Amino acid sequence: MDNPVAVIQYGPRPGILDLGWGHPRPELLPVEQWLEAGQTTLREHAWQALTYGAAAGPRPFIEWLTDHLGGCDHGSTQPSEVFVTNGASHGLALVADLLVRPGDVVLVDSPTYHLAFRTLLDQGAELVGVPTDDQGVHPAMTAELLERLARSGRRVPMLYIVPTFANPTGRCLPHERRVELVDLARRAGLTIVEDDTYREMAYDGPAPPSLWSLAERGTVIRLGTFAKTVAPGLRLGWINAEGGFVRRLTGLGYINSGGGVNHTTALTMATFGRSGAYQSHVAATGRHYAAQRDALVAGLRTCAPDLQLSAPAGGWFLWADLPSPITASSLAPVAEAHGVAYVEGRRFFADGADGHRAVRLSFSMLPPGELQEAAARLGLALETVRQRAPGRPEPAHDPHRGG
Ligand SMILES: Cc1ncc(COP(=O)(O)O)c(C=O)c1O
């Protein structure tokens, strides 16, 4: 077999149960089902599956997707409101490229998906965290922040947020806040870029309506992806936006030159969806991910009872507050020495000034037994740090973590 590091982004580290990565459990990736969908697609569409594709994406995919979104979200999405991308990260890069100018302020949720920061910084934006409380973004205080920024002459074209089964907290923004936020954005001329990556990873009942479904057209752009529901290697996702914005995307030079993004994969996804394989796969993997969540939560409640956490109703992440005065950076090397790793909470704040006592724990990659063992190791690491003599300097620690 090839060296996995030369083929894939991340290979396991010997001896470490890694709760840092928001990646799928390898055994749950649908290798055989995708192979079958690929063969059916090539037989059905023949050469058309392999030539340059339609600018916004192939029609069979867009039609399946809009039907599907009608079932898993409220309200309807029109085919003219879809643009196929290489995933949510690509969607964010494209949207930011069209909306943001160097020197603009981009508002981001606090905390939010840390790997979105680089994409936004690539546009020369200054990132400012929105005011939040324990329910998430606070619309009235965000309105005040927008007024202050406007008074100081700053342009604020967009707000980035993951309101549903968020990365990193696993939480959902409450319905009233969704309505207030969308209303604020409409009044302020602010575009909300809603990253809806985890909508279909719902374990305890349906996900709340998206901001996209609640808003007037032109206020929200939604980013979707099949990275979590099917496989990240597909690099397949989409943007939902009003027709005019989709036309700006289809008019981009590189689309004009190379045709629609990821044409063959999008056609295969249409086959995978229409055959029912997608729905069965999401249902089956959802049961596994729910069991993994339960194993990690139960393990932590038993082995690390002074961690403060609540079980998320969906997604892949759990956010936990460490007992005072332990910080995520002081615990990290001790946790590694005990064979468990996580991402420090401060990485999910645009200015890194908050989240020092929080950690993000992902339950997506490991089976339940290993998650219970990881929880036990974390409990031992906490105990070790607690017993450390006060005043001892904390070792510097900042491992890169993705997903
Ligand atoms: C909130 C969020 N957005 C985007 C991504 C990346 O999505 P994609 O692989 O489709 O680019 C992730 C992956 O961890 C994520 O958690």
Side-chain angles (χ1 to χ4, degrees):
M1 203 180 118
D2 287 324
N3 169 10
V5 177
V7 176
I8 62 174
Q9 189 184 29
Y10 165 76
R13 286 184 296 153
I16 302 283
L17 293 175
D18 203 333
L19 306 177
W21 292 89
H23 290 194
R25 213 172 114 196
E27 314 87 271
L28 300 183
L29 292 169
V31 176
E32 290 304 319
Q33 301 96 306
W34 192 259
L35 177 67
E36 203 176 309
Q39 286 176 339
T40 308
T41 305
L42 285 172
R43 264 190 231 105
E44 203 173 301
H45 295 281
W47 64 269
Q48 292 195 351
L50 295 178
T51 192
Y52 289 107
R59 194 76 190 180
F61 170 75
I62 290 182
E63 282 176 355
W64 171 76
L65 180 70
T66 47
D67 278 359
H68 175 68
L69 290 174
C72 69
D73 193 11
H74 301 62
S76 67
T77 299
Q78 298 305 311
S80 59
E81 297 170 327
V82 179
F83 180 85
V84 172
T85 66
N86 284 130
S89 313
H90 180 222
L92 179 62
L94 282 175
V95 169
D97 193 37
L98 291 189
L99 294 183
V100 179
R101 296 186 213 135
D104 283 351
V105 169
V106 168
L107 299 183
V108 292
D109 201 0
S110 289
T112 197
Y113 175 49
H114 58 324
L115 301 182
F117 297 156
R118 271 281 312 280
T119 306
L120 295 166
L121 291 171
D122 283 350
Q123 299 299 328
E126 181 190 337
L127 305 187
V128 173
V130 288
T132 56
D133 59 17
D134 54 2
Q135 308 227 294
V137 53
H138 195 293
M141 285 164 72
T142 303
E144 286 166 21
L145 171 65
L146 280 170
E147 277 162 27
R148 279 199 303 280
L149 288 165
R151 275 200 300 276
S152 58
R154 303 301 300 271
R155 190 176 170 271
V156 187
M158 66 172 267
L159 159 67
Y160 171 78
I161 184 167
V162 190
T164 304
F165 309 134
N167 182 357
T169 63
R171 289 180 206 135
C172 289
L173 189 68
H175 186 77
E176 321 77 69
R177 295 259 171 124
R178 288 173 187 249
V179 172
E180 286 172 43
L181 190 62
V182 156
D183 188 50
L184 166 66
R186 183 186 52 77
R187 285 186 280 115
L190 173 76
T191 301
I192 299 176
V193 179
E194 174 182 31
D195 184 334
D196 212 11
T197 287
Y198 295 97
R199 163 159 304 277
E200 293 187 68
M201 324 294 290
Y203 313 132
D204 300 339
S210 63
L211 305 180
W212 161 256
S213 73
L214 294 171
E216 275 176 26
R217 290 299 186 255
T219 303
V220 176
I221 293 175
R222 186 219 329 242
L223 310 176
T225 181
F226 291 102
K228 314 295 172 175
T229 47
V230 185
L234 303 183
R235 306 312 307 135
L236 180 67
W238 72 94
I239 291 170
N240 287 138
E242 53 93 15
F245 193 86
V246 170
R247 282 192 295 282
R248 285 179 70 193
L249 291 165
T250 54
L252 289 172
Y254 85 95
I255 297 291
N256 185 236
S257 165
V261 168
N262 216 356
H263 173 67
T264 310
T265 305
L267 268 182
T268 308
M269 185 63 220
T271 309
F272 194 64
R274 290 225 178 278
S275 71
Y278 174 72
Q279 288 78 351
S280 327
H281 178 70
V282 171
T285 51
R287 286 191 288 277
H288 283 286
Y289 289 126
Q292 289 168 215
R293 170 200 62 181
D294 294 344
L296 182 61
V297 169
L300 292 171
R301 290 205 168 125
T302 308
C303 303
D306 50 2
L307 274 186
Q308 270 181 32
L309 54 94
S310 51
W316 279 358
F317 306 104
L318 198 154
W319 183 252
D321 286 317
L322 301 172
S324 182
I326 299 175
T327 60
S329 60
S330 63
L331 180 64
V334 183
E336 292 250 346
H338 281 82
V340 63
Y342 55 76
V343 187
E344 296 176 25
R346 68 186 166 81
R347 293 176 60 98
F348 302 93
F349 291 84
D351 58 5
D354 234 320
H356 290 272
R357 285 200 15 251
V359 293
R360 186 196 76 174
L361 307 175
S362 168
F363 50 84
S364 62
M365 255 189 101
L366 302 175
E370 290 185 21
L371 288 165
Q372 272 160 349
E373 172 60 22
R377 291 182 186 183
L378 200 57
L380 285 175
L382 275 166
E383 198 44 49
T384 306
V385 170
R386 235 186 255 109
Q387 285 169 7
R388 220 190 230 161
R392 194 168 148 179
E394 290 177 3
H397 188 84
D398 187 17
H400 168 75
R401 287 287 185 281

